[in-house]
Amino acid sequence: MADLDVVVVGAGFTGIYAVHALRSAGLTVRAFEAGEGIGGTWFWNCYPGARCDVESKDYSYAFSPELEQEWSWSERYPAQPEILRYLHHVADKFGLWPDLQLNTRVTACAWDADTSTWRVTTEPGATVTARFVVMGVGNLSQLHVPDLPGLDTFEGPWYHTSRWPKEGVDFSGQRVGLIGTGSTGIQIAPEIAAVAGHLYVFQRTANFAVPNRNRPWQDAEERAFKESYRDYRQEARQSILGVPVNGTGKAALETPADEREQVYRERWKAGGGMPFLGAFTDVLFVREANDTVADFMRDRIRETVADPEVAELLCPTGFPVGAKRLCQSDDYYAMFNSGHVTLVDIRSAPLESAYPGGLKTAADSYELDAIVFATGFDAITGPLFAIDIRGAGGVTLREAWAHGPRTYLGVAAAGFPNMFIVTGPGSPGVFSNMVLSIEQHVEWIRDCVAYLTSHGYGAVEATTAAQDEWMELVTGIAYATVFPLADSWYIGANIPGKPRVFTSYLGGVASYRERCDAVAAAGYEGFTLAPAR
Ligand code: N01
């Protein structure tokens, strides 16, 4: 008999809700969390400026109307400390702490076919058995520090944004080098610039950023969304991205240029990325339509940045808007108008090495007191591969996915019975409001486990045929869009040697939910169910 019904790996938004949902279904469950606190991505990414780019009214659990009503978000886009406070509140309210085990990294999971259980090993070597494992490891938890020659000789401190010191860092008056201009780099740069003596931003690829227009919620706004929360959540479930977006319903290429410009201007004024991506029906499917957004955004950069050469360097080219995560900032571009901020183009003169006093590019040397890496993550598969997962016949997940991840519905993988992945490859995951997708996955997994238990089954495994069919669908949809047209982490392009495959389901959260529900209603079609031993 297994020690537990379910082991959950991670105590972020997934692990916290999984413990609550599975426990409420009468299962014994424990979440193991490597960090010394709960919160997952919001625990680790505590760098200055860390803030969610999905509105707080959306980026929150929907499972409890009471929670929804009692919690007050202070701002439109929640900052990292507030999200962490919210998650603590959830853990307190639902009494989850006894089943959230912190400071415990899961290092290995091995399937035992004789007993239909997983043997889960945690650092420093304790083991526990469970009927099921739920991977709530997140998509962006395995950080990436580029292999930079000489970094060990650098005499100052260096930091990765995803392991920011909890006590903070004082950059007052210092010369700071920031490498990376993705969502993270764009968020942290103005915060560093506000105190540093000089900030050097090392940019390899310019990125699109739209204004946040962050602000406190007005009482009347909060009252309004709380009054209609049930309907609003339902609307979110029926959307594409998991957030209701007010699109025009028209194609950009069939809209007169002045009308299109007006739509973009309104959205620029209102702030937020999703309204841009959802403004017209063809923006994410037709490159020429996407170019109309890109041109508009490049014009805003040129309008904001005083030095025309710097402005041109900051103008993204070569990939569609949204194909790399659309960044949000109210002050990133304007920051380059300060005399103490320098944009260093490492596309034309690559970063070569660190030396005791700073960083060296092919063109110049930069004397620095500190270096900040905002260089992202070995995304999606990285956090799963960090665990030695061995399924049927001892095959590792790494071996099974050597040419890229393969799943059925994003939640299960052939060869790995009784293992569920939350917001993994093959799901809408990173292309959706994560909290909404997490709740949908966790509830589907809870219902699946309940079904197996009540029908006398002990094991569930995706068939290879169902998995192949699903991945073909996922790939077919993805390559009909502009998303695979960028060298992004979505496609694995940011990690040298990683297979370049696009594995997110882009059909939208509504159709995805429908399919998952249909599979369940048909007695878990596409899965092999084995009797309990
Ligand atoms: O990471 P990234 P991130 N030499 O991979 C550069 C979420 N998020 O942490 O583009 C020099 O996007 C790299 O350059 P290039 C969100 O989903 C959300 O910023 O590869 N540069 C790029 O500029 C996001 O997409 C929020 O040429 C190197 C940067 O580092 C995801 O997290 C906030 C390099 C990495 O950008 C990841 O964002 C923050 C090298 N060797 C994050 N290697 C919000 O909700 C990499 N780079 C607002």
Side-chain angles (χ1 to χ4, degrees), residues 471-516:
M471 292 315 289
E472 202 176 312
L473 177 73
V474 166
T475 311
I477 297 174
Y479 285 86
T481 73
V482 299
F483 285 103
L485 299 179
D487 289 337
S488 68
W489 60 261
Y490 295 142
I491 202 165
N494 64 326
I495 301 296
K498 198 167 171 173
R500 198 185 161 102
V501 278
F502 195 95
T503 54
S504 293
Y505 175 78
L506 296 180
V509 298
S511 72
Y512 176 74
R513 180 185 296 265
E514 254 174 48
R515 176 70 189 266
C516 289

Side-chain angles (χ1 to χ4, degrees), residues 42 47 51-54 140 144 146-147 161 179-185 187 202 204-205 207 324-325 328 346-347 351 374-377 487 489-490 494:
W42 300 106
Y47 59 85
R51 186 180 290 285
C52 187
D53 59 3
V54 177
L140 297 164
H144 166 61
D147 195 6
T161 44
I179 305 172
T181 51
S183 301
T184 304
Q187 281 190 330
F202 293 84
R204 190 166 68 180
T205 309
N207 240 316
K324 279 171 176 262
R325 176 78 170 212
Q328 291 186 200
I346 55 170
R347 171 71 60 187
L351 196 54
T375 44
F377 304 88
D487 289 337
W489 60 261
Y490 295 142
N494 64 326

Side-chain angles (χ1 to χ4, degrees), residues 13 16 18 34 77 82 109 120 147 188 219 245 272 281 346 436 522 526:
F13 265 95
I16 291 169
Y77 292 105
E82 187 167 19
C109 296
V120 178
D147 195 6
I188 197 173
D219 289 347
V245 171
T281 52
I346 55 170
L436 179 142

